[in-house]
Amino acid sequence: LLLDDPVQPGRSPLKALGSSKGAASIVLLAMASTNLWTACSSSDPAAQSSPDGGVDAAAPSDAGTEGDATDGTPSCNESFCRLALPDMSGVAINASWAISASDVWVGGSGGYAAHFDGKNWTRIATGTNAAIFGITAGADGTVWGANGGYTLLKLNRPANGVSENINAQTNAIFDGISVAGSEVFIAGATTGYTSDPILTNIWRYGTNPDGGAPSVIPISPPCPGRDEPGDRCVRLHGVWAESAKRQWFVGEGGKAYVTDTSPPPADGGDGPSSVAIRLIEMNSSSLRNLHAIWGFAADDIWAVGAQGVIRHWTGGNPKTDAWQIVPSPVTHDLRSLWGSRPDDIWAVGDDGTVIHWDGTSWTQREVPYAADRRPRFHTVTAVGDEVWIGGVNAFLRSNHTTEADR
């Protein structure tokens, strides 16, 4: 369908998805229509004449041995220095969150987690072997981790010697996580291994609508059911919670959504329950996978993804307006975003890719690895001019021993 119908910046395929129809159950019902939520190819023929970096090239593969820089390459360049975290060998650092320069958290494969107190890094016992794919922090100081083992972690709230684990009671991979007030929003997808007939890709942790203890509740609009072979929820890779009522999501096939906060239909629509949100599918101006999202305001939101795709939402009507195509200096997949200010944003990705936005343009930064040994970076976080970048057996921190332009 969409492969032969490329998304053009002036045209929007927007749909209002889901409903807030009242029902006692929080379980999401499957719906027969499959076109709204099935994934599309990451190929983007519409963008071949756009400013995206290297759109005519095939997706590049990582060169060399990831994270192996023992070939004599200096551990620092003008911008960054390589660091070795405790027990980091063989670990992919997938997620990070800097609360301050003396309060930095990272998570990775095998349930790996570590904390920086401004002087030293310390391993954190998580009580899980599942990879941690997302980290965020709430206003109450709780540091949340989302992992591939359908578990929500309170990384800095130990229970019985390990981080408190909250079982989501669903077979899902949690990719993205964001907090608004006391509500935690999680994006991902139910795995193909679940026997649950109901599939979902958005969850919320917070006030229980039944009045019980806080729990992880599926809140996405209906996804295709398991009686429809080959269909599943679109995997969402990132979420930014603008508020407890409005969230933004990006994922496979260039999918971009925003919560529909308009009044529900008078008849209640066809939604499965009172906790299900309704979504508007936006025109991201791309069919390539979008891996990360970062927002400052409702009219200043960034997304990055496959083959160096960069998109910017600058406001307008989400039902009719498109995300802006922003020139990219790179062709490798971009996997993570972090912004300290609207004129200070970092994005990182495959083959040691690091780029920075200064309010005018994106520029690439060099990393202290040999050209054939640059790792895949999965995460970036920052506080002011302190930047930390994590990847496959790799970790970088800003180098302040020079006067490099940062």
Side-chain angles (χ1 to χ4, degrees), residues 70 77 126-127 283 346 373:
T70 58
N77 64 6
T126 62
N283 181 358
W346 295 89
R373 298 174 183 267

Side-chain angles (χ1 to χ4, degrees), residues 34 72 162 353:
T34 63
V162 299
T353 298

